[in-house]
Amino acid sequence: MKIALFITCLADTVYPSVGRATVAVLERLGHEVVFPAGQTCCGQMHVNTGYQRQAVPLIRQHVEVFEPYDLIVAPSGSCVGSVRHQHGQVARRAGDEGLATAAETVAARTYELSELLVDVLGVDDVGAVFPHRVTYHPTCHSLRLLRVGDKPLRLLRNVAGIDLVELPEADQCCGFGGTFALKNAETSAAMLADKMSNVLATGASVCTAGDASCLMHIGGGLSRLATSTRAVHLAEILASTDGTVEVRS
Amino acid sequence: MSGLTSMTGAARAEILARTRAALTRAQPPGPVVRDYRTTGDLQLGSPELVALLTDRLVDYRAHVHPVGTEQISAAIAGIAAAHAGGAARFVVASDFATAWRQGWGAVEDHGLSPRELDETDGAVTTCRVAIADTGTLVLDAGPGQGRRAITLVPDLHICLVRHDQIVQTVPEALRRLDAGRPITFISGPSATSDIELARVEGVHGPRILHVLLISPP
Amino acid sequence: MTTFLGLPGGLPHADRHTGQVEGSLRFPDAARTALADGQLRTNIGAATRTIRTKRAAVVAEVPDWEELREAGRAIKTDTMARLPELLLQLEENVTARGGVVHWARDATQANAIVAGLVRAVGATEVVKVKSMVTQEIGLNEALAERGITAWETDLAELIVQLGHDKPSHILVPAIHRNRAQIREIFLREMPGVDSGLTDEPRDLAMAARRYLRAKFLTAQVAVSGANFAVADTGTLTVVESEGNGRMCLTLPQTLITVMGIEKVVPTFSDLEVFLQLLPRSSTGERMNPYTSMWTGVTPGDGPQDVHLVLLDNGRTATLADQVGRAALHCIRCSACLNVCPVYERTGGHAYGSVYPGPIGAVLSPQLTGITGGDDPNDSLPYASSLCGACFDACPVKIDIPNLLVNLRAQHTEAHADTHRIPSAEQIAMAATAWAMSSPSRWARAQATTRAGRLLGRRRQVIRALPAPLSAWTAARDLPRPPTETFRQWWAARDAGEHR
């Protein structure tokens, strides 16, 4: 199948390895990945910070770029959540019904990576090898906006050699919340501290999730604690065939 | 008071005008879809339904006594004997069946003051309907029940429930009620969870609840 | 009374200085105190974990829970759309049964009405059933100014009142206090208390029973709120646990009920939905111990002088917002507080208003109006990570995250309208939006982030940044930007493949 990659602005700029891993998994399964070059950002940060008017051109840009594709994937539950639940509404609030309708059409063809693999492509074993102790954090928007359920876990359970351990209080938010982490930094840090103690209690060497943003938060906290536990995106584990993930440089 | 009434009369007109103004751009809402259960799976009068009610009552620390009609007086007398050193005085509504008053001290309520009610040891009443799913007794001041205060001020309440008064679900109970009557839903003895969310049974309402489940003759 | 022209209709909001609809500090500042209080965090964390577990268990045993939630949502939506006619119907039915209906534009007027009614019967004290709305309007303080003493009779409200404290939770106002602290308050403040009082919850509850019984038996006037008011019958409903509600609703001769106009429901049979949703969502019980329903006056049973005060206080202004009006659907169960990770860390006082937690963050600012300035309530819509746990828990399906996001938009837009000089955030958002609405501009903007590679060269992470990003690096590292973006890598790969 031909699949358009919606990389998300964060993965594009800060975590290109997540994009490369997404491409690697899909190509290994025999699909054609295309990268529409006009894409920029879904506008979620603007909408969630209160700048809906400013987000409208971003939504228009996103819709125009992805409208020609029948199948779109993003390695982010949060950005897919924004596309599905915010684009139409923000366009409508701005009085642009045409954009709202077009946005809803694009949204209906847009999937988070685990949804695409399990629901659309019917795969729950992607042939990955990752012999490490891993714990999975179900990010809030994957869990509650997209209802991905146990799809990421089904994919992880089929990874060869993996020692998948349950994260205590997994459904609790890590405290990221976009600009919440800046505007209410101390509350956010208190939430992060509890998330990190739960991660460390598992003894996992890797904490994984389907969102680079939450992983930036959890990973940033783990790095500050100088622990050896790393935050690794789900796509990177699924792409791995030799038990390693790309080291960032 | 007339000044007060005119003041709130102006407020009335203004608030109604505000609500209308607030709704000028409102879309008419969709229909109210009621796909929830309005009846239970268990047969009325079935042993399973009685068992469910019993389970739920016991779960919230009510004392349940399965009895036949002819055993009602004796069951109440038994509770009375175990209470207040055997000299318990239980208040009843004036229309509470005399046949059920044998062997214990009934005090008829003819407008007892709150203090007088406080000096009795308990109250014995019938009920309108009972809800098995939630362990709830519903009183509506009907025959044998009396006014609301008598099941409130005394420290013990004995409630008589016939098997044919038990329904499974909340909607079934509501549909048997007349909204115009004073209605009290009672689910277990009074309780509080205000201290560390730990449940404590028995606060201001009766601390002890006995339920007589009366099987048909 | 303040009006804000930026809202449709320009309907009046609640006065932010009367009653308790706004605190004195912005949320991040108010939260700081709570975050530093380890005991408080332990108390609230333990309590909310307990109630979350109980709620989950009793919700799981209801096979039609989702259908009930949907019906609850639909009934509330329908109610709001027909509010004027339903209020008139309620008034007609209460009046027909011998009750007296009063209308109050705002807190000041509602307080004056209640005080006038108490004075009219010559009473100098009232017993009170726990009620959010009377706290919203500051009734106790207003009565005290007029020489009338209000006794809170709910155990948690009593703890708050005796502790000269403020409520921090909708259902359990003293959730921030543990048993040892409550024992100390009782020993210090409760007249006639047994000095051998232990900190066992049962012992503490019995002390409250002894203390309040005399008041119940002699009270002339009671003041209550209402959980539901049924338009088609005129029936008022109070849902409670301890029996203090029944005492107040049954024993005194005069009963004054104050309710927000949004508490009306169309029909008596609608209660079959809400009486299933509310107890399981609030206390995690299948049914609360006591629910009382009364319709006007019943001769020979209960109060013979019955009043209902219908309060606006910013509700019609809230109703005017097509998205925000869903906040008026709230049935005050507090499930959203108990699942909120922010509430769990900060407690209720940080929200300032009597309505804390996620629902408070969307209700309080709408009652007082969003100004676009630095008012404490303007900071509330940002007091959320938008994790969505509140929406999942809400028994009437209020999409709180969506309301929060809309209120944030109202705030930034009101700020832009009322300030000639844009904020730094506004500039940053406009600049990023400008860059991101064109792929070429975005690629150039991405190139500048690579300047970040100058930082964090030793550890491969960035450990300190200037404000406002210092808020991030206070507790977290930031990754060092990569040598190439994804799109650069893709372009290079594409070129390599096709050449």
Side-chain angles (χ1 to χ4, degrees):
Chain A
M1 285 179 121
K2 183 172 166 180
I3 301 162
L5 175 63
F6 161 31
I7 181 68
T8 78
C9 62
L10 181 67
D12 185 6
T13 314
V14 183
Y15 296 107
S17 57
V18 172
R20 287 192 281 269
T22 306
V23 173
V25 173
L26 295 173
E27 289 184 344
R28 192 167 73 219
L29 294 169
H31 300 284
E32 183 196 352
V33 180
V34 292
F35 179 74
Q39 63 182 288
T40 58
C41 166
C42 66
Q44 181 186 197
M45 178 183 73
H46 294 83
V47 174
N48 286 351
T49 311
Y51 294 86
Q52 295 201 20
R53 289 175 191 163
Q54 290 80 350
V56 173
L58 304 190
I59 294 171
R60 185 170 295 116
Q61 173 74 17
H62 182 88
V63 168
E64 282 169 7
V65 166
F66 284 100
E67 227 169 2
Y69 300 96
D70 294 329
L71 200 51
I72 302 152
V73 68
S76 162
S78 194
C79 300
V80 173
S82 179
V83 166
R84 266 189 218 162
H85 296 278
Q86 294 184 330
H87 278 192
Q89 193 178 322
V90 171
R92 216 159 261 132
R93 186 175 183 268
D96 194 337
E97 186 59 38
L99 178 60
T101 311
E104 279 157 4
T105 308
V106 169
R109 301 174 192 157
T110 306
Y111 297 89
E112 178 273 338
L113 180 61
S114 73
E115 291 179 327
L116 178 87
L117 290 168
V118 176
D119 289 349
V120 183
L121 305 178
V123 179
D124 55 17
D125 185 345
V126 297
V129 179
F130 197 72
H132 302 282
R133 176 172 281 204
V134 175
T135 196
Y136 170 71
H137 167 60
T139 63
C140 299
H141 291 175
S142 295
L143 187 71
R144 301 192 185 90
L145 269 183
L146 303 186
R147 310 261 172 216
V148 301
D150 69 344
K151 285 161 209 164
L153 287 168
R154 281 161 66 184
L155 292 161
L156 286 168
R157 281 186 205 115
N158 286 314
V159 170
I162 198 167
D163 174 15
L164 190 61
V165 287
E166 195 181 326
L167 178 64
E169 304 196 327
D171 65 352
Q172 295 289 304
C173 177
C174 75
F176 174 61
T179 47
F180 170 78
L182 301 179
K183 286 173 186 274
N184 283 284
E186 287 145 273
T187 307
S188 164
M191 291 158 69
L192 176 62
D194 292 342
K195 178 58 70 181
M196 288 192 296
S197 2
N198 283 320
V199 168
L200 295 175
T202 65
S205 59
V206 167
C207 173
T208 191
D211 263 291
S213 52
C214 308
L215 288 172
M216 178 170 76
H217 193 232
I218 297 170
L222 291 169
S223 159
R224 178 61 56 91
L225 290 184
T227 68
S228 58
T229 305
R230 292 172 302 156
V232 173
H233 195 282
L234 174 68
E236 296 178 285
I237 293 177
L238 298 181
S240 180
T241 49
D242 61 359
T244 66
V245 295
E246 226 184 291
V247 176
R248 292 187 191 106
S249 60
Chain B
M1 283 300 288
S2 64
L4 185 65
T5 308
S6 69
M7 179 174 85
T8 76
R12 175 182 188 273
E14 191 177 322
I15 292 167
L16 287 168
R18 287 178 188 174
T19 54
R20 292 191 184 105
L23 292 165
T24 45
R25 296 194 310 156
Q27 308 285 325
V32 176
V33 176
R34 295 174 191 268
D35 283 343
Y36 54 85
R37 296 179 308 156
T38 52
T39 54
D41 310 323
L42 304 178
Q43 284 280 316
L44 290 184
S46 67
E48 293 79 13
L49 192 59
V50 177
L52 180 63
L53 176 64
T54 304
D55 175 75
R56 297 295 152 90
L57 284 167
V58 169
D59 195 29
Y60 282 155
R61 305 290 183 275
H63 306 277
V64 179
H65 311 263
V67 294
T69 312
E70 69 289 348
Q71 299 163 308
I72 292 173
S73 281
I76 300 170
I79 297 165
H83 200 73
R89 290 161 64 249
F90 293 154
V91 64
V92 293
S94 55
D95 62 352
F96 186 83
T98 46
W100 299 339
R101 301 188 194 182
Q102 309 307 311
W104 50 279
V107 181
E108 268 193 18
D109 173 41
H110 295 281
L112 295 167
S113 72
R115 286 210 180 282
E116 287 166 331
L117 284 173
D118 196 35
E119 283 156 15
T120 66
D121 298 298
V124 189
T125 70
T126 61
C127 70
R128 176 71 185 87
V129 61
I131 309 168
D133 265 352
T134 58
T136 301
L137 314 169
V138 183
L139 275 65
D140 68 352
Q145 299 172 36
R147 63 197 172 103
R148 287 172 286 172
I150 71 168
T151 57
L152 172 63
V153 180
D155 202 18
L156 178 148
H157 179 198
I158 302 171
C159 187
L160 279 54
V161 183
R162 295 193 317 270
H163 285 194
D164 65 355
Q165 290 180 304
I166 306 170
V167 298
Q168 188 179 339
T169 65
V170 173
E172 286 166 282
L174 262 287
R175 288 164 191 206
R176 291 184 178 206
L177 297 175
D178 170 0
R181 306 185 67 86
I183 295 166
T184 308
F185 280 41
I186 297 172
S187 308
S190 65
T192 184
S193 302
D194 280 353
I195 300 165
E196 297 179 9
L197 287 167
R199 189 177 158 102
V200 174
E201 273 94 7
V203 196
H204 303 295
R207 287 182 286 188
I208 305 160
L209 176 65
H210 288 274
V211 182
L212 271 52
L213 293 180
I214 305 163
S215 49
Chain C
M1 184 171 298
T2 57
T3 54
F4 178 64
L5 300 173
L7 278 176
L11 293 164
H13 290 104
D15 176 9
R16 55 185 77 236
H17 304 297
T18 306
Q20 200 193 327
V21 277
E22 183 169 68
S24 54
L25 292 173
R26 292 167 52 76
F27 186 84
D29 300 323
R32 197 162 293 129
T33 322
L35 288 166
D37 185 342
Q39 182 68 61
L40 179 81
R41 273 177 69 185
T42 308
N43 293 355
I44 294 173
T48 52
R49 261 193 298 277
T50 305
I51 195 81
R52 280 204 299 269
T53 311
K54 282 175 69 180
R55 176 190 164 276
V58 295
V59 164
E61 67 181 36
V62 181
D64 53 346
W65 185 251
E66 286 309 314
E67 288 77 8
L68 286 166
R69 286 180 80 212
E70 175 51 28
R73 185 204 63 76
I75 293 167
K76 286 291 185 179
T77 307
D78 175 54
T79 301
M80 295 312 144
R82 299 195 287 128
L83 199 54
E85 92 186 52
L86 293 173
L87 290 171
L88 287 173
Q89 199 185 2
L90 174 68
E91 179 188 50
E92 188 185 330
N93 286 314
V94 170
T95 308
R97 285 294 304 266
V100 183
V101 178
H102 311 260
W103 300 70
R105 293 182 189 90
D106 53 29
T108 304
Q109 196 174 18
N111 289 334
I113 291 168
V114 175
L117 292 168
V118 177
R119 277 213 193 106
V121 300
T124 55
E125 53 181 50
V126 300
V127 285
K128 279 188 72 199
V129 190
K130 174 175 157 27
S131 122
M132 297 304 296
V133 73
T134 57
Q135 285 175 14
E136 173 192 322
I137 62 178
L139 178 66
N140 293 6
E141 295 74 14
L143 291 177
E145 282 169 19
R146 294 162 169 90
I148 300 164
T149 308
W151 301 102
E152 292 291 351
T153 65
D154 170 77
L155 178 54
E157 291 289 3
L158 178 69
I159 296 164
V160 168
Q161 192 177 37
L162 290 177
H164 311 287
D165 198 357
K166 286 186 170 170
S168 68
H169 189 277
I170 289 175
L171 177 76
V172 197
I175 197 168
H176 56 290
R177 299 290 197 186
N178 65 20
R179 58 184 73 187
Q181 295 169 320
I182 295 166
R183 173 177 173 270
E184 282 169 30
I185 292 170
F186 280 12
L187 286 176
R188 200 174 59 232
E189 303 282 345
M190 188 182 272
V193 73
D194 177 0
S195 59
L197 183 69
T198 75
D199 66 359
E200 269 306 301
R202 167 164 299 281
D203 241 31
L204 296 167
M206 288 312 107
R209 176 185 162 101
R210 280 189 295 275
Y211 172 67
L212 286 172
R213 191 144 265 247
K215 300 206 187 303
F216 288 135
L217 299 182
T218 56
Q220 286 174 271
V221 182
V223 175
S224 83
N227 291 94
F228 309 101
V230 181
D232 78 341
T233 59
T235 306
L236 301 181
T237 307
V238 162
V239 172
E240 53 125 1
S241 294
E242 296 168 9
N244 65 308
R246 290 182 68 196
M247 291 281 179
C248 294
L249 301 170
T250 314
L251 298 184
Q253 198 60 16
T254 297
L255 172 59
I256 306 164
T257 300
V258 184
M259 64 169 251
I261 52 173
E262 81 282 17
K263 291 278 164 244
V264 67
V265 296
T267 67
F268 186 70
S269 63
D270 292 330
L271 294 180
E272 71 191 23
V273 175
F274 296 113
L275 291 181
Q276 295 192 72
L277 291 172
L278 180 53
R280 290 181 201 257
S281 300
S282 58
T283 50
E285 293 166 307
R286 297 187 184 101
M287 192 65 92
N288 50 293
Y290 298 129
T291 295
S292 295
M293 303 180 195
W294 71 101
T295 306
V297 174
T298 302
D301 189 345
Q304 300 297 298
D305 179 26
V306 171
H307 298 266
L308 175 62
V309 182
L310 297 172
L311 175 75
D312 182 347
N313 208 36
R315 286 164 177 75
T316 50
T318 307
L319 186 68
D321 187 294
Q322 303 220 38
V323 175
R325 73 166 59 119
L328 298 175
H329 298 183
C330 173
I331 59 173
R332 310 281 188 265
C333 71
S334 64
C336 64
L337 278 61
N338 300 330
V339 299
C340 177
V342 174
Y343 178 89
E344 187 178 336
R345 270 84 186 178
T346 66
H349 291 155
Y351 295 81
S353 157
V354 68
Y355 302 109
I359 188 62
V362 295
L363 184 58
S364 309
Q366 295 198 91
L367 292 177
T368 57
I370 291 276
T371 64
D374 285 334
D375 297 87
N377 278 358
D378 272 37
S379 71
L380 291 181
Y382 298 96
S384 166
S385 65
L386 303 177
C387 84
C390 49
F391 183 23
D392 271 11
C394 179
V396 292
K397 292 168 82 168
I398 303 171
D399 187 350
I400 295 176
N402 191 38
L403 266 66
L404 288 165
V405 166
N406 269 283
L407 287 170
R408 292 176 186 185
Q410 282 183 24
H411 173 250
T412 63
E413 288 162 18
H415 184 277
D417 290 347
T418 51
H419 293 70
R420 280 196 307 142
I421 302 167
S423 67
E425 177 186 281
Q426 209 175 325
I427 294 166
M429 288 290 164
T432 50
W434 178 79
M436 287 170 156
S437 54
S438 144
S440 55
R441 285 198 296 264
W442 173 230
R444 282 197 298 277
Q446 283 181 312
T448 66
T449 65
R450 231 164 308 137
R453 285 188 64 76
L454 296 172
L455 300 167
R457 272 168 293 184
R458 198 158 55 89
R459 292 193 180 87
Q460 294 300 316
V461 293
I462 299 167
R463 306 202 60 159
L465 284 168
L469 295 174
S470 56
W472 177 279
T473 52
R476 319 146 183 90
D477 293 339
L478 205 59
R480 202 174 162 219
T483 48
E484 62 177 358
T485 63
F486 178 82
R487 70 184 61 225
Q488 288 171 324
W489 173 80
W490 181 272
R493 186 181 97 133
D494 239 14
E497 274 180 11
H498 297 306
R499 228 169 257 152

